[in-house]
Amino acid sequence: MSRASTTDDLAEAMRTAAAVLAEAASSRSTVVLSGHVQPDADALGSTLALAEGLRRRGARVLATFPGPFTLPASLGWIPGAEGLVPSDSVPSSPDVFVSLDAASPPRLGELAPLLDQAATSVVVDHHASNPGFGRIRVVDPAAPATVTLVADLLDGLGVTLDRQLATCLYAGLAADTGSFRFGSTRPETHELAARLLSTGIDHAAISRRLFDTAPFGWLGLLSVVTGRAALETDVGAGLVWTWSSTAEAAEHGLAGEQLEALVDVIRSAQEADVACVLKGQDDGSWSVSLRSRGATDVARVAMALGGGGHRAAAGYTSHLDREGTVAALRAELSVR
């Protein structure tokens, strides 16, 4: 089945996915669900909400994500997270494998083989760079978050949204829309948010945990990293960039996952259309986060450099040194 390319195609893919999952639940089949490596709120909220919905329908469910099998404190509170199992604890040939919010098979890490080894695979995603993989593909680049697609799947399964499910979904929705600030936010985005709020969730507490809670060491790291930020207005439509590393985060008593929030600070520089943070990993590679104010399609840039994402938010991994990584980025941003 090809990737859904029209509204009708997407609706048909959604119906097919819901039917496959409903049959799996009715027959008490084993369903393995996974988000991408180092899951964010959208990947985790999607996984946990759909896993719980399928459990309520009777499926045998195992929810996981690729190693390293650790969650940052900002996400570990999401309902159902305590039931996640390590990737090496799931069967290698489940009845159904569901990939959530992964833009490409490599983003599933060691779980990627399940796309072929499972009897049926379902891919649910909203990344524009998704090349189309898995047997059933519910892929909508216009969706502001994967949780919006999961909400539709839960409706198709006849699962009623309650506070537990709504909390999972709202966490992903708030995170991937930047608290509804990003251009991907549509009228129906707010309609879903209103529906989730009507269940009685504490949306203020959810946002506080996601965006406004960090260890004191974060302030020290932020001071160092913003202090070394560089502005290059002659690169593309303007570039602001900085760098840090998991080792530097550890010096401030922080887990490496805390580096993910840096780009949302750097992107505030009004002179640059593109913001970039290089995050040095323990293996010597650089995880590169890109954000755009709108003039630059950073998904195109990231794909050219081996990654992917959305027009306004994307990323990739570089195995060059720091200067080589920035030089390659400058060159790609200068392509017209």
Side-chain angles (χ1 to χ4, degrees):
M1 181 179 294
S2 62
R3 167 177 145 174
S5 57
T6 68
T7 300
D8 289 343
D9 290 340
L10 179 63
E12 178 60 27
M14 185 71 72
R15 284 192 293 269
T16 301
V20 166
L21 294 174
E23 173 58 29
S26 297
S27 60
R28 294 187 59 77
S29 298
T30 299
V31 183
V32 173
L33 303 96
S34 177
H36 55 69
V37 65
Q38 295 180 334
D40 56 12
D42 190 25
L44 189 62
S46 295
T47 299
L48 295 176
L50 187 56
E52 178 60 21
L54 288 170
R55 283 193 193 97
R56 295 179 186 182
R57 285 293 308 269
R60 301 176 186 273
V61 175
L62 292 167
T64 185
F65 60 89
F69 191 68
T70 57
L71 286 177
S74 61
L75 298 180
W77 59 270
I78 296 179
E82 70 283 354
L84 289 163
V85 299
S87 60
D88 59 7
S89 297
V90 305
S92 59
S93 301
D95 298 306
V96 181
F97 175 61
V98 185
S99 165
L100 295 134
D101 201 44
S104 63
R107 293 286 284 160
L108 292 167
E110 67 275 12
L111 291 164
L114 272 65
L115 290 165
D116 296 319
Q117 293 167 190
T120 302
S121 58
V122 179
V123 172
V124 185
D125 184 39
H126 73 129
H127 290 90
S129 61
N130 190 302
F133 60 96
R135 181 182 168 202
I136 301 168
R137 304 160 187 173
V138 182
V139 179
D140 182 10
T146 296
V147 291
T148 65
L149 303 174
V150 170
D152 288 341
L153 280 174
L154 291 171
D155 287 343
L157 288 166
V159 176
T160 300
L161 297 186
D162 58 11
R163 290 183 65 177
Q164 178 179 347
L165 295 174
T167 296
C168 296
L169 297 173
Y170 190 87
L173 190 64
D176 259 34
T177 60
S179 295
F180 309 98
R181 292 179 293 117
F182 298 163
S184 58
T185 300
R186 303 180 296 183
E188 50 266 44
T189 310
H190 288 291
E191 291 168 2
L192 175 59
R195 184 181 171 198
L196 300 176
L197 289 174
S198 71
T199 66
I201 60 172
D202 188 341
H203 65 94
I206 293 172
S207 295
R208 185 166 58 250
R209 283 172 149 171
L210 288 175
F211 310 119
D212 299 329
T213 302
F216 180 75
W218 165 249
L219 298 179
L221 177 68
L222 194 60
S223 175
V224 173
V225 174
T226 55
R228 64 166 71 112
L231 176 65
E232 303 183 22
T233 56
D234 58 338
V235 175
L239 168 68
V240 59
W241 69 276
T242 190
W243 63 273
S244 187
S245 67
T246 54
E248 185 171 59
E251 292 173 4
H252 292 268
L254 304 172
E257 293 85 1
Q258 201 76 49
L259 300 175
E260 299 299 320
L262 290 170
V263 71
D264 290 319
V265 177
I266 300 302
R267 69 187 303 171
S268 63
Q270 65 180 2
E271 296 90 346
D273 184 60
V274 173
C276 169
V277 173
L278 280 61
K279 299 161 290 185
Q281 305 300 301
D282 293 340
D283 64 0
S285 66
W286 293 96
S287 177
V288 183
S289 292
L290 301 175
R291 298 292 185 270
S292 169
R293 286 179 171 270
T296 306
D297 181 355
V298 290
R300 179 200 65 77
V301 174
M303 289 175 69
L305 295 170
H310 308 284
R311 179 180 178 84
Y316 61 96
T317 297
S318 171
H319 295 281
L320 302 173
D321 61 18
R322 188 172 72 238
E323 285 307 316
T325 297
V326 177
L329 175 61
R330 291 189 188 105
E332 198 58 44
L333 286 172
S334 296
V335 174
R336 298 294 182 180

